[in-house]
């Protein structure tokens, strides 16, 4: 006897199943949007829990020797200037510096908790390895390198595709491209800017040269970004102020820069020609220029300003230039690359400017050691970052039990206090408002919100453009934005799903815990006893606990400690 | 002593005719030139010439920034009934012999107040680069970021106000920056004055804000300062002082200068009842309140397509706002101390393209100026009504060409700032405030 279901009941069950399925889909989609259940890698934070990679580097004698050498040089340098060193910073302070440098925000509470499962001595190194594998690192450093290599302007319209260029850089970093390979790809780029993203290095200059690569701008860019030399003044005249000198061809002594040095470098880029639908291709060097004090324009041949013996004789002009810049013996180019990475790690370059390391001036010895190590190990950006981040220069505390002077900061006896850049403030603010790490596995809603909020915040805070390492002073609009701005308000509003402030109010076991967690989320440290006593007392005696937690977080976000790397 | 003439023009009243008498300024200038004295002497003479009876008044600038590059042919330099003129007609102005586009009838009635330069040439044909060039007087260079005129003016000013001294209303792509003078001289950006200034109003009540800033913040700051630089606040972060200044601005009466809602309806209508018009009202209020430079942006002039109709609609916004601003400043005796500059990054091509648009053209465009020592009722330079347009000689079609740099040198001089003074940049490089030459004919001396 077969079981027969009445047709009405059957339709009811089918309808129920459909609606249940539909409800499940809606709930899943909502959950995905708001809470990021789509975490792709459940072990993302415990990847280095066994700190195997850390151990590998700690047992790499070569790596260890380089770090030791840098530390010794720093000690000698301090002794020479009769300065004492501050002690080593605590692990969480070092981790904050790493996060700010590599992903542009502070450490999330989620990351702190994962690191706390490791022995104290391994936490900073494990955090470093986590960050280097993090897609946020690829994105963030692509944006930083992009600023140095193509500037910040959106023009020229159509022929310059910033997003494609950034995406290409992001992929190159993610795929562990050697630095010299990236540089060569930019200088020798061929094809259409839409098809070959690296061509945008050239097309960004089209606007000032009638839809052709502008050799003048490319020479200035190349010199600053890849050689660490600001030779712009030589475009118009010989150096008469002693600002720009080049090493003599015999390697002994220096000579003053000449106008021809600039234009001979520019001549390499006259070989890049845009031919419409086929994009940029190679042709012969064809450059004429009328020098100051000259009666007429004259042909200018392609030549490099120093170490001319390293320039290959054969091959296309741009390939020869790329080979010269990336030649292992071109030490100036290597220290320029190291200085940029150094500036991104510590927030300020060696020397006054990130793209100005005069050849006739002396630089700290550790810069040369880092450059040699960089070249000897295949222009590996990650290794360079690891060496810097492991050295005492990076790990020393920013406070001491002796009186700190500007000399201590200048000579790295202490970690220098450096103002955070606008994108670091925005990133830290967005991260502080969330307990979990904000990354590409976060909910789509949160990622979209982060993208919009960050761009808007940086625009209003004042984007520093290419001069992002210039030390500026705080401005009134910046303070107003932090005190009354939309992003801060959104970060502190009562949002039980997303915001730290609501989580603290709902789930913290005690007032003491609220204060501790607020400090860890915002400032990446525990409160001092004075701070704990004060704010615990406030929370204990408040009539509106939620409001007081909001006020506490507002104060932490508006403190100078939040806005400075230390 | 000023007197208003029947036709509305304002001239300096003199006891004797300057054309037939030597006076101190002329004599000093002649002696400097005649004796082949140094350039310093000439500059001193010029400074003296510009130092009139109101020498103690601080100088201000209002920049009406026409972003996108307005067509000179549809605004200040029409060539009606010519091949290059398009459909644009010209009308007579209050300045005899000078015509403007028929799209600017109200501005035409105030031309007796203005100096118009019709022969400005630049080297940049791309928006961002040309904007930088026109705003700073220098072509973009990676090595150095130059300050805008407003930033230079504010850096010379020792007066303190609760509100920012450099303001950008309706900031477009590239609001004025402090460049090597520092971010402290960047323009403070605000939107349409119909809305409150963003971030100026606290989101919590006064008692909460006081508790946050006066009681709690110091707890965190004290702990942060422990073991660091001895004078962390005063020599490094300036955090608390900036916070205190921000608080002062939030509660200042001067902030009402941003709010144009209390202006009579008739005034708002006279300015065109547009965001740009309200920006112009706010600009004059801010100048009165102590702000030294206000820029008001009107975007959308990039007319590669349908140039004529686009300019028609934008001029309907510009015309009442610019003319009413000039009248208001004049009526309130602010025009003697306030320079109004109306310009964009470049002009547009004499040729009309197949899409009935005009493309970028830096080889002969117009800049309108009024106020301070700028000569009133004067036109300088001209463009050819029948240009040959030889690409090898772009300036052949321009009479008395001047450069963007020259305009800057002239503006700085009108503001009594020594344009040749060498400033030392943060990297130690000496650089002149302007590399241009003063267009003396534009100055009322």
């Amino acid at each position: 006897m077969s079981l027969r279901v009445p047709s009405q009941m059957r339709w009811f069950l089918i309808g129920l199943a459909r609606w249940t399925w539909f409800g499940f889909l809606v709930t899943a989609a909502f959950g995905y949007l708001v809470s990021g259940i789509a975490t792709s890698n459940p072990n993302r934070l415990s990847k280095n829990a066994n700190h195997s990679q850390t151990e590998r580097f700690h047992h790499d004698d070569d790596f260890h020797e380089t770090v030791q050498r840098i530390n010794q040089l720093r000690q000698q340098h301090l002794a020479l200037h009769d300065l004492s060193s501050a002690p080593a910073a605590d692990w969480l302070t070092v981790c904050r510096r790493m996060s700010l440098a590599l992903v542009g925000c502070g450490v999330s509470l989620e990351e702190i908790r994962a690191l706390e499962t490791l022995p104290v001595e391994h936490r900073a190194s494990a955090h470093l390895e986590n960050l280097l594998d993090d897609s946020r690192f690829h994105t963030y450093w692509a944006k930083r390198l992009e600023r140095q290599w193509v500037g910040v302007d959106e023009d020229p319209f159509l022929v310059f595709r910033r997003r494609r260029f950034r995406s290409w850089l992001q992929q190159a970093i993610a795929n562990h491209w050697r630095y010299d390979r990236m540089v060569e790809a930019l200088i020798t780029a061929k094809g259409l800017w839409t098809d070959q993203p690296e061509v945008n290095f050239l097309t960004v200059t089209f606007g000032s040269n009638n839809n052709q690569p502008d050799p003048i701008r490319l020479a200035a860019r190349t010199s600053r970004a890849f050689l660490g030399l600001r030779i712009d003044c030589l475009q118009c005249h010989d150096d008469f102020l002693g600002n720009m000198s080049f090493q003599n061809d015999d390697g002994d002594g220096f000579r003053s820069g000449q106008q021809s040095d600039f234009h001979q470098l520019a001549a390499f880029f006259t070989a890049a020609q845009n031919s419409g639908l086929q994009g940029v291709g190679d042709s012969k060097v064809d450059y004429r220029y009328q020098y100051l004090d000259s009666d007429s324009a004259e042909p200018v041949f392609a030549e490099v300003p120093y170490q001319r013996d390293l320039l290959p004789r054969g091959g296309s002009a741009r390939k020869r230039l790329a080979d010269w810049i990336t030649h292992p013996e071109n030490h100036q180019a290597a220290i320029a690359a190291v200085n940029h990475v150094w500036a991104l790690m510590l927030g300020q370059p060696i020397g006054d400017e990130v793209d100005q390391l005069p050849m006739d001036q002396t630089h700290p010895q550790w810069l040369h050691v880092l450059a040699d190590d960089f070249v000897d190990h295949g222009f590996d950006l990650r290794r360079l970052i690891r060496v810097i981040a492991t050295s005492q220069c990076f790990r020393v505390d920013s406070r001491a039990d002796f009186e700190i002077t500007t000399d201590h900061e200048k000579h790295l006896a202490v970690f220098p206090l450096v103002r955070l850049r606008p994108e670091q403030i925005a990133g830290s603010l967005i991260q502080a408002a969330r307990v979990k790490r904000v990354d590409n596995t976060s909910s789509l809603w949160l990622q979209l919100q982060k993208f919009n909020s960050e761009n808007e915040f940086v625009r209003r805070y004042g984007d520093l453009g290419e001069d992002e390492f210039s030390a500026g002073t705080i401005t009134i609009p910046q303070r107003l934005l932090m005190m009354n701005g939309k992003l801060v308000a959104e970060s502190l509003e009562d949002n039980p799903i997303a915001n730290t402030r609501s989580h603290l109010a709902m789930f913290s076991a005690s007032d003491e815990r609220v204060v501790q967690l607020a400090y860890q989320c915002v400032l990446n440290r525990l409160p001092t006893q004075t701070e704990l006593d004060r704010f615990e007392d406030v929370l204990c005696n408040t009539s509106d606990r939620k409001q007081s937690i909001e006020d506490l977080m507002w104060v932490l976000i508006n403190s100078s400690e939040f806005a400075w790397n230390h | 002593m000023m007197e208003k003439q029947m036709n509305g023009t304002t001239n300096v009243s003199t006891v004797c005719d300057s054309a037939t008498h030597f006076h101190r300024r002329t004599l000093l200038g002649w002696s400097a030139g005649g004796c082949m004295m140094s350039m310093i002497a000439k500059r001193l003479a010029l400074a003296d010439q510009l130092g009139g009876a109101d020498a103690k008044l601080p100088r201000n600038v209002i920049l009406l920034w026409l972003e996108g590059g307005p067509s000179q042919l549809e605004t200040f330099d029409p060539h009606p009934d010519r091949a290059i003129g398009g459909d644009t007609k010209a009308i007579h102005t209050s300045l005899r012999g000078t015509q403007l586009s028929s799209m600017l009838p109200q501005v035409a009635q105030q031309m007796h107040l203005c100096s118009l330069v019709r022969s400005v040439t630049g080297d940049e044909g791309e928006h961002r680069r040309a904007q930088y060039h026109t705003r700073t007087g220098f072509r973009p260079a990676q090595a150095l970021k130059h300050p805008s005129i407003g930033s230079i003016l504010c850096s010379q000013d020792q007066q303190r106000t609760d509100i920012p001294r450099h303001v950008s209303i309706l900031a477009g792509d590239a609001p004025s920056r402090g460049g090597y003078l520092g971010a402290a001289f960047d323009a403070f950006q605000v939107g349409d004055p119909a809305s409150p200034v963003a971030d100026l109003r606290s989101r919590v009540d006064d008692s909460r804000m006081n508790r946050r800033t006066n009681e709690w913040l110091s707890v965190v700051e004290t702990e942060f300062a422990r073991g660091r630089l001895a004078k962390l606040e005063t020599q490094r972060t300036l955090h608390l002082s900036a916070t205190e200044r921000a608080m002062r601005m939030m509660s200042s009466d001067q902030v009402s200068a941003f709010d144009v809602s209390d202006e009579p309806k008739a005034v708002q209508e006279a300015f065109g009842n547009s965001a740009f018009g309200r920006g112009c009202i706010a600009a004059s209020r801010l100048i009165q309140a102590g702000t030294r430079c206000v820029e008001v942006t009107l975007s959308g002039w990039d007319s590669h397509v349908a140039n004529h109709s686009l300019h028609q609609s934008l001029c309907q916004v510009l015309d009442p706002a610019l003319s009413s601003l000039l009248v208001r400043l004049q009526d309130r005796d602010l025009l003697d101390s306030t320079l109004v500059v109306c310009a964009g990054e470049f002009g547009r091509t004499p040729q009309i393209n197949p899409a009935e648009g005009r493309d970028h053209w830096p080889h002969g465009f117009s800049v309108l100026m009024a106020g301070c020592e700028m000569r009133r009722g004067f036109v300088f330079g001209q463009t050819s009504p029948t240009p040959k347009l030889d690409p090898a000689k772009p300036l052949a079609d321009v009479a008395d060409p001047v450069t963007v740099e020259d305009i800057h040198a002239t503006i700085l001089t009108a503001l009594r700032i020594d344009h040749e003074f060498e400033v030392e940049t943060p990297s130690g490089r000496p650089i002149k405030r302007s590399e241009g030459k003063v267009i003396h004919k534009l100055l009322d001396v």
Side-chain angles (χ1 to χ4, degrees):
Chain A
M1 196 173 103
S2 62
L3 182 65
R4 294 179 67 87
V5 180
S7 78
Q8 274 190 334
M9 176 68 81
R10 193 168 67 233
W11 283 112
F12 172 76
L13 290 174
I14 291 172
L16 183 66
R18 281 178 177 166
W19 280 108
T20 304
W21 178 240
F22 179 70
F24 171 75
L25 288 178
V26 169
T27 308
F30 178 74
Y32 180 84
L33 282 173
V34 300
S35 63
I37 59 175
T39 302
S40 59
N41 180 5
N43 299 319
R44 61 190 181 133
L45 295 179
S46 55
K47 189 180 291 178
N48 290 296
N50 59 4
H51 47 87
S52 57
Q53 219 166 349
T54 309
E55 282 179 347
R56 181 163 71 81
F57 283 103
H58 274 226
H59 288 93
D60 180 339
D61 288 343
D62 194 23
F63 177 87
H64 188 67
E65 275 174 23
T66 303
V67 173
Q68 284 302 317
R69 178 84 183 114
I70 291 167
N71 291 345
Q72 283 168 4
L73 289 169
R74 175 177 168 273
Q75 293 295 346
Q76 290 168 8
H77 186 78
L78 294 182
L80 188 69
H81 291 88
D82 197 21
L83 294 169
S84 303
S85 173
D90 65 87
W91 70 272
L92 195 44
T93 299
V94 173
C95 287
R96 180 179 186 257
R97 291 175 193 166
M98 289 172 175
S99 285
L100 286 168
L102 297 177
V103 296
C105 66
V107 192
S108 69
L109 189 62
E110 183 187 21
E111 289 169 304
I112 293 173
R113 292 290 173 265
L115 291 169
E116 282 173 343
T117 63
L118 302 176
V120 173
E121 66 272 20
H122 293 316
R123 288 175 189 170
S125 300
H127 188 55
L128 178 63
E129 296 308 318
N130 284 338
L131 292 173
L132 290 174
D133 281 342
D134 194 327
S135 62
R136 293 180 300 168
F137 164 61
H138 313 147
T139 308
Y140 185 66
W141 273 53
K143 288 181 183 176
R144 308 271 70 77
L145 294 177
E146 168 197 303
R147 284 187 177 230
Q148 291 294 311
W149 292 351
V150 295
V152 293
D153 289 346
E154 292 302 327
D155 283 339
F157 185 55
L158 292 179
V159 294
F160 175 57
R161 304 297 175 95
R162 178 174 295 281
R163 287 185 64 186
R164 289 191 71 83
F165 184 76
R166 183 182 300 167
S167 176
W168 172 79
L169 263 177
Q170 206 173 319
Q171 288 300 315
I173 295 169
N175 293 332
H176 294 239
W177 273 33
R178 292 161 55 114
Y179 170 82
D180 56 343
R181 184 183 169 192
M182 286 191 241
V183 174
E184 183 181 331
L186 295 174
I187 292 176
T188 62
K190 288 181 195 168
L192 276 174
W193 42 95
T194 47
D195 184 43
Q196 303 293 325
E198 62 271 32
V199 175
N200 287 283
F201 173 73
L202 305 170
T203 62
V204 72
T205 68
F206 273 19
S208 52
N209 195 34
N210 200 22
N211 255 15
Q212 290 292 339
D214 186 339
I216 299 293
R217 287 172 66 188
L218 285 164
R221 174 75 66 190
T222 297
S223 173
R224 292 162 58 107
F226 305 132
L227 302 179
L229 294 170
R230 291 187 167 193
I231 65 169
D232 309 54
C233 56
L234 300 181
Q235 181 191 339
C236 303
H237 54 78
D238 294 346
D239 175 42
F240 53 84
L241 294 171
N243 288 339
M244 181 48 57
S245 300
F246 297 111
Q247 191 181 48
N248 281 323
D249 285 339
D250 59 7
D252 185 21
F254 302 93
R255 64 178 178 83
S256 289
Q258 296 181 321
Q259 207 181 355
S260 57
D261 288 314
F262 183 95
H263 291 282
Q264 286 171 358
L265 187 62
F268 284 100
F269 289 103
T270 60
Q273 288 292 317
N274 177 27
S275 53
L277 289 176
Q278 292 182 332
V280 177
D282 263 333
S283 65
K284 289 185 176 176
V285 169
D286 179 16
Y287 189 40
R288 295 178 67 82
Y289 189 78
Q290 183 175 345
Y291 289 115
L292 192 69
D293 301 330
S294 178
D295 295 331
S296 59
E298 57 191 85
V300 180
F301 58 92
E303 185 55 278
V304 293
Y306 63 87
Q307 286 187 289
R308 290 169 177 161
D309 54 314
L310 302 183
L311 183 68
R313 294 296 124 195
S316 71
R318 287 192 289 152
K319 180 72 169 68
R320 290 170 62 217
L321 177 63
D323 287 348
W324 175 77
I325 290 173
T326 57
H327 195 289
E329 291 175 36
N330 191 339
H331 187 68
Q332 177 69 22
I335 63 170
V338 168
N339 197 29
H340 193 198
V341 174
W342 179 277
L344 286 168
M345 295 300 293
L346 280 90
Q348 62 184 23
I350 293 170
D352 293 333
E353 309 286 351
V354 70
D355 49 11
Q356 174 67 319
L357 289 164
M359 297 185 86
D360 57 350
Q361 288 182 15
T362 54
H363 310 298
Q365 274 302 311
W366 58 75
L367 177 63
H368 301 293
V369 172
L370 282 167
D372 290 341
D373 187 78
F374 184 49
V375 173
D376 291 345
H377 291 85
F379 294 90
D380 182 354
L381 278 174
R382 281 176 175 75
R383 178 183 168 99
L384 176 58
I385 290 168
R386 285 187 182 104
V387 172
I388 294 173
T390 311
S391 71
Q392 288 174 354
C393 300
F394 190 83
R395 297 207 174 190
V396 69
D397 204 350
S398 60
R399 64 170 89 200
D401 55 7
F402 51 82
E403 186 177 330
I404 293 177
T405 65
T406 49
D407 263 1
H408 286 92
E409 288 196 325
K410 182 181 170 187
H411 298 292
L412 292 178
V414 296
F415 188 86
L417 284 181
V418 181
R419 277 190 75 196
L420 297 188
R421 297 188 295 272
E423 91 283 352
Q424 289 177 316
I425 299 260
S428 297
L429 187 48
I430 291 166
Q431 182 57 74
R434 271 87 194 175
V435 169
K436 290 181 72 176
R437 190 174 72 176
V438 179
D439 58 17
N440 65 354
T441 62
S442 302
S443 70
L444 287 177
W445 173 254
L446 181 55
Q447 289 184 59
L448 189 63
Q449 194 183 25
K450 177 178 184 289
F451 177 78
N452 291 333
S453 306
E454 193 172 296
N455 287 346
E456 171 70 6
F457 181 92
V458 169
R459 187 185 68 76
R460 302 206 48 219
Y461 199 81
D463 195 339
L464 294 169
E466 292 175 50
D467 300 326
E468 58 180 358
F469 301 112
S470 60
T473 55
I474 192 163
T475 65
I476 306 304
Q478 287 173 349
R479 287 303 300 130
L480 288 170
L481 186 61
M482 290 299 289
M483 291 164 70
N484 307 322
K486 186 180 165 196
L487 182 57
V488 174
E490 284 178 351
S491 301
L492 297 179
E493 68 188 5
D494 193 9
N495 183 340
I497 295 176
N499 280 357
T500 301
R501 173 239 165 161
S502 300
H503 290 183
L504 295 185
M506 288 190 299
F507 305 123
S508 294
S510 63
D511 292 336
E512 179 187 6
R513 199 75 185 126
V514 169
V515 178
Q516 287 173 341
L517 291 173
Y519 267 82
Q520 283 190 307
C521 286
V522 181
L523 300 182
N524 292 159
R525 69 170 172 89
L526 287 168
T528 63
Q529 195 58 49
T530 309
E531 292 168 324
L532 184 60
D533 291 347
R534 176 65 195 270
F535 293 121
E536 195 182 353
D537 182 56
V538 166
L539 291 180
C540 187
N541 295 310
T542 183
S543 58
D544 189 336
R545 191 163 179 267
K546 277 187 176 178
Q547 192 183 84
S548 294
I549 293 173
E550 180 188 334
D551 288 348
L552 170 60
M553 290 195 65
W554 185 95
V555 166
L556 299 181
I557 285 169
N558 274 280
S559 66
S560 46
E561 182 173 349
F562 180 77
W564 288 72
N565 196 0
H566 54 86
Chain B
M1 195 170 102
M2 310 295 291
E3 64 179 23
K4 196 173 259 185
Q5 295 181 344
M6 290 298 286
N7 64 1
T9 59
T10 307
N11 280 332
V12 176
S13 169
T14 53
V15 176
C16 54
D17 181 4
S18 61
T20 56
H21 281 71
F22 291 113
H23 53 61
R24 181 174 54 87
R25 299 172 193 166
T26 313
L27 199 59
L28 184 53
W30 284 11
S31 60
C35 299
M36 298 299 285
M37 287 175 67
S38 67
M39 287 303 292
I40 295 172
K42 284 187 178 177
R43 282 155 53 193
L44 285 172
L46 182 60
D48 187 68
Q49 286 169 340
L50 295 175
D54 55 354
K56 290 180 182 172
L57 278 178
R59 292 298 195 252
N60 316 297
V61 179
I62 296 176
L63 171 62
L64 304 185
W65 181 248
L66 311 184
E67 189 164 286
S71 166
Q72 66 283 3
L73 291 149
E74 272 67 38
T75 53
F76 301 117
D77 191 13
H79 286 299
D81 306 321
R82 301 285 185 162
I84 64 169
D87 297 331
T88 302
K89 304 297 178 195
I91 54 172
H92 293 293
T93 69
S94 61
L95 181 61
R96 184 179 295 176
T98 299
Q99 291 189 318
L100 292 190
S101 155
S102 60
M103 298 179 196
L104 297 171
Q106 295 184 57
V107 174
Q109 294 308 307
Q110 306 305 327
M111 276 304 291
H112 57 278
L113 298 174
C114 306
S115 267
L116 175 60
V117 186
R118 283 172 162 165
S119 54
V120 184
T121 62
D123 302 306
E124 299 291 348
E126 180 189 294
H127 290 290
R128 278 295 182 97
R129 292 179 62 83
Q131 283 167 9
Y132 183 97
H133 189 203
T134 312
R135 280 166 179 268
T136 66
F138 289 87
R139 296 181 71 184
Q142 289 170 25
L144 192 64
K145 298 298 174 213
H146 303 88
S148 65
I149 288 172
S151 305
I152 294 173
L153 185 62
C154 291
S155 73
Q156 297 292 293
D157 185 30
Q158 301 301 316
Q159 291 186 337
R160 296 287 291 269
T161 54
D162 292 345
I163 55 174
R165 291 171 301 158
H166 188 189
V167 174
S168 177
I169 300 173
L170 300 167
D173 285 344
S176 290
R177 304 291 297 267
Y180 58 72
L181 295 175
F185 297 103
D186 284 356
F188 179 78
Q189 298 175 42
V190 298
D192 183 348
S195 307
V197 178
D199 308 330
L200 212 49
R201 187 171 297 171
S202 170
R203 291 174 185 261
V204 298
D205 60 49
D206 288 349
S207 65
R208 273 182 78 187
M209 188 52 111
N210 278 333
R211 189 175 57 177
R212 286 173 168 186
T213 54
N214 294 336
E215 297 175 28
W216 292 12
L217 194 55
S218 59
V219 176
V220 186
E221 293 302 324
T222 305
E223 289 301 302
F224 182 60
R226 193 169 45 79
R228 302 188 195 278
L229 280 172
K231 295 178 180 173
L232 184 68
E233 163 66 23
T234 54
Q235 290 190 351
R236 182 61 61 83
T237 66
L238 302 173
H239 193 80
L240 293 177
S241 62
T243 304
E244 188 260 323
R245 286 174 63 198
M247 292 286 287
R248 200 166 63 221
M249 181 175 165
M250 286 163 61
S251 58
S252 172
D253 291 339
Q254 293 175 347
V255 169
S256 62
F258 287 102
D259 181 11
V260 301
S261 61
D262 59 346
E263 290 283 344
K265 195 176 176 187
V267 172
Q268 301 206 30
E269 283 175 357
F271 276 79
N273 243 338
S274 62
F276 181 73
R278 285 186 288 275
C280 289
I281 300 174
S284 72
R285 292 169 63 101
L286 285 163
I287 292 294
Q288 274 189 294
T291 295
R292 302 298 306 279
C293 177
V294 186
E295 59 180 33
V296 191
T297 302
L298 180 58
S299 303
W301 297 89
D302 196 17
S303 57
H304 293 283
V305 178
N307 171 73
H308 189 79
S309 58
L310 190 144
H311 274 75
Q312 226 161 11
S313 59
L314 284 170
C315 283
Q316 284 173 11
V317 177
L318 173 65
D319 189 41
L322 171 55
S323 57
S324 299
L325 176 66
L326 293 173
V327 171
R328 183 177 172 120
L329 292 173
Q330 171 75 350
D331 288 348
R332 300 185 177 200
D333 284 336
L334 286 169
L335 204 53
D336 292 333
S337 57
T338 305
L339 180 65
V340 178
V341 181
C342 182
E345 61 262 42
F346 39 56
R348 305 208 77 86
T349 49
Q351 313 96 312
I352 297 173
N353 67 27
E356 296 188 355
R358 295 186 192 269
D359 303 316
H360 303 173
W361 186 253
H363 312 300
F365 60 101
S366 301
V367 172
L368 182 104
M369 293 178 277
C372 287
E373 277 80 7
M374 207 59 76
R375 199 162 156 185
R376 299 188 180 191
F378 183 65
V379 177
F380 184 87
Q382 59 182 337
T383 55
S384 170
T386 53
K388 294 185 176 62
L389 301 176
D390 179 356
K393 298 176 182 173
L395 300 186
D397 300 318
V398 183
D400 295 326
V402 295
T403 63
V404 168
E405 287 82 353
D406 297 338
I407 294 289
H408 270 257
T410 310
I411 289 174
L412 289 174
T413 304
L415 296 172
R416 292 207 302 259
I417 295 173
D418 182 356
H419 73 285
E420 289 192 312
F421 182 80
E422 284 195 345
V423 182
E424 189 168 308
T425 65
S427 60
R429 175 182 165 188
I431 183 170
K432 287 181 182 175
R433 290 196 180 112
S434 170
E435 299 283 0
K437 294 174 183 165
V438 177
I439 309 166
H440 290 276
K441 287 183 178 176
L442 285 177
L443 297 173
D444 191 13
V445 292

